[in-house]
Amino acid sequence: MSQSTMKQVANEAKVSTATVSRVLTGSGFVSDEVRARVNEAIQKLHYQPNAVARSLKQDKTHTIGVVIPDISNPFFSVISRGLEDVVRQKGYHLIFCSSDENSAKEEELLQLLWEKRVDAVVLATAGNNEAVINRLCESGLQLLLLDRLLNPGANDGFGDEASRLNLPSVTEDNRQGAYELTRQVLERGHTRIGVINGSLDVSTGRERFAGFTQAVQDSRLQMNDSLVFHGHFSMEDGRRAAQYYMSMEERPTALISFNNMMSFGVLLELTRLGVRLPADVLLASYGEVDAAGLLGEPGLLYVSQTPYEMGECAGMLLLKKLAGSREETVLEEQILFKPEIRQL
């Protein structure tokens, strides 16, 4: 069955198409009797306004693209919920995309969202797309960085353009969080510490590893490259890291994992291997691991994160940016959440 048109609704209600438009948009005067007639015709013909045509006319789609690296990660799910709860109050809807920590896929998604004419994009980048992001922003794309910043030193001809884009961002003080987490482990007397880091292609991986390195240097310990495992923020990488460390002749007495999904993988593998927490090894995590509570008192040290509040903050920043025209509104806020260390 073909879709009915506004003209057909007007003919059914015996009014002009302009009157139908006023009823649909709620603008201009329409008598109650005419409004009822138009609504009756709309229901009879099952008329649905053309959202694409309306967005072209208004130059607004009331949609926001959200590109996150792992849609299965509870951290990003909760961030997205906070974001949605804020922007939905103003009539915006979200289109969720997962890059799977793949820069090439992220580039495709960004281009797709731009072609779909979304009003803005919220991006937790997988890294190495600085040139693409710069091009899209110069074309008029409204973009907010979430959790992860761009790499101003990317070796792709982009140089330090990222720092000049002045993009709004909502992130954590990753370096300080990792520093404090490492310091807590050191203060408990551990000197042989295995560290499980995420990708150095993204800011969270670089900053957390830098915080760890600084804490080790401040304690006057020597860095041991054999005790560093670089993963890609996945549960499977956490499993592999645990296998690697537990196969050592001289095992680490503590493990620090700089991502909640990797920490979950570490926890699963240690449990499978029969390693007792914290008697055999102390586990410290950047981010909470809900499953750890099933182990009684695992002594898990962790950086307590606030993803819902970060999402809310991102939503408020984005609405502020969207409130004005692209030419007049310049938003320069960079919001930094401070870490807090807790123990389970």
Side-chain angles (χ1 to χ4, degrees):
M1 184 175 65
S2 61
Q3 187 177 20
S4 58
T5 66
M6 185 183 292
K7 185 175 181 180
Q8 289 173 321
V9 171
N11 289 338
E12 178 69 26
K14 296 181 172 54
V15 297
S16 67
T17 55
T19 299
V20 176
S21 178
R22 286 198 294 272
V23 172
L24 290 170
T25 60
S27 61
F29 173 77
V30 180
S31 69
D32 291 342
E33 185 270 331
V34 170
R35 186 182 303 277
R37 214 161 64 228
V38 170
N39 285 328
E40 184 179 346
I42 288 172
Q43 292 178 12
K44 179 179 179 180
L45 297 175
H46 304 290
Y47 173 71
Q48 292 292 328
N50 191 321
V52 174
R54 187 168 64 247
S55 68
L56 288 171
K57 184 176 180 180
Q58 299 176 348
D59 195 29
K60 209 164 193 178
T61 62
H62 282 91
T63 57
I64 296 170
V66 181
V67 183
I68 54 180
D70 184 358
I71 205 165
S72 67
N73 188 332
F75 175 78
F76 290 112
S77 298
V78 177
I79 275 188
S80 299
R81 178 60 183 271
L83 171 66
E84 184 175 39
D85 284 351
V86 170
V87 301
R88 193 170 180 274
Q89 297 176 31
K90 297 297 182 180
Y92 287 94
H93 299 278
L94 303 183
I95 300 175
F96 291 100
C97 307
S98 180
S99 69
D100 300 324
E101 297 286 3
N102 184 311
S103 299
K105 183 179 179 182
E106 177 180 290
E107 180 180 354
E108 292 176 6
L109 292 171
L110 287 171
Q111 185 63 39
L112 175 65
L113 291 170
W114 171 244
E115 292 171 359
K116 293 295 184 182
R117 299 174 60 86
V118 296
D119 295 328
V121 169
V122 176
L123 172 66
T125 181
N128 297 322
N129 273 324
E130 286 75 15
V132 175
I133 293 167
N134 180 57
R135 173 173 54 81
L136 292 174
C137 288
E138 287 183 344
S139 298
L141 178 67
Q142 302 277 24
L143 191 141
L144 181 145
L145 298 173
L146 184 61
D147 184 56
R148 302 175 176 187
L149 297 172
L150 301 184
N151 179 9
N155 186 22
D156 56 3
F158 186 61
D160 63 350
E161 285 294 321
S163 61
R164 295 202 291 268
L165 282 175
N166 235 355
L167 296 174
S169 62
V170 177
T171 60
E172 296 176 306
D173 193 338
N174 290 285
R175 181 167 184 149
Q176 187 62 29
Y179 180 91
E180 294 295 335
L181 186 65
T182 305
R183 190 174 63 83
Q184 291 271 354
V185 173
L186 291 166
E187 287 180 353
R188 284 163 172 74
H190 296 276
T191 57
R192 186 168 175 80
I193 303 169
V195 59
I196 306 154
N197 194 48
S199 171
L200 295 178
D201 287 337
V202 298
S203 63
T204 48
R206 293 191 304 273
E207 292 169 0
R208 292 172 190 178
F209 189 64
F212 166 78
T213 302
Q214 187 62 55
V216 170
Q217 290 175 349
D218 289 351
S219 69
R220 303 189 185 281
L221 286 177
Q222 292 294 318
M223 285 286 293
N224 186 337
D225 291 341
S226 69
L227 293 176
V228 178
F229 184 100
H230 288 294
H232 290 87
F233 301 112
S234 71
M235 183 178 69
E236 188 56 36
D237 280 338
R239 282 183 175 275
R240 284 197 289 265
Q243 292 168 1
Y244 169 70
Y245 288 123
M246 292 303 102
S247 67
M248 287 182 168
E249 185 175 343
E250 185 182 357
R251 293 179 173 181
T253 61
L255 297 177
I256 302 178
S257 171
F258 287 131
N259 165 268
N260 62 325
M261 293 297 284
M262 294 192 303
S263 300
F264 183 44
V266 172
L267 189 66
L268 289 176
E269 189 61 22
L270 292 180
T271 302
R272 188 187 71 82
L273 294 171
V275 178
R276 298 169 300 163
L277 299 175
D280 296 331
V281 64
L282 173 69
L283 179 59
S285 169
Y286 199 110
E288 298 179 52
V289 185
D290 294 335
L294 299 174
L295 300 179
E297 297 182 0
L300 177 74
L301 286 171
Y302 65 95
V303 175
S304 178
Q305 298 175 286
T306 53
Y308 186 84
E309 289 77 6
M310 289 178 67
E312 283 186 312
C313 185
M316 289 185 285
L317 277 178
L318 201 56
L319 288 177
K320 180 179 177 181
K321 187 167 188 178
L322 290 170
S325 69
R326 291 176 179 174
E327 292 76 22
E328 295 174 356
T329 301
V330 178
L331 190 63
E332 300 182 357
E333 289 96 333
Q334 284 81 39
I335 307 300
L336 191 66
F337 279 69
K338 296 298 182 181
E340 181 181 347
I341 310 298
R342 295 182 181 176
Q343 183 168 2
L344 185 62

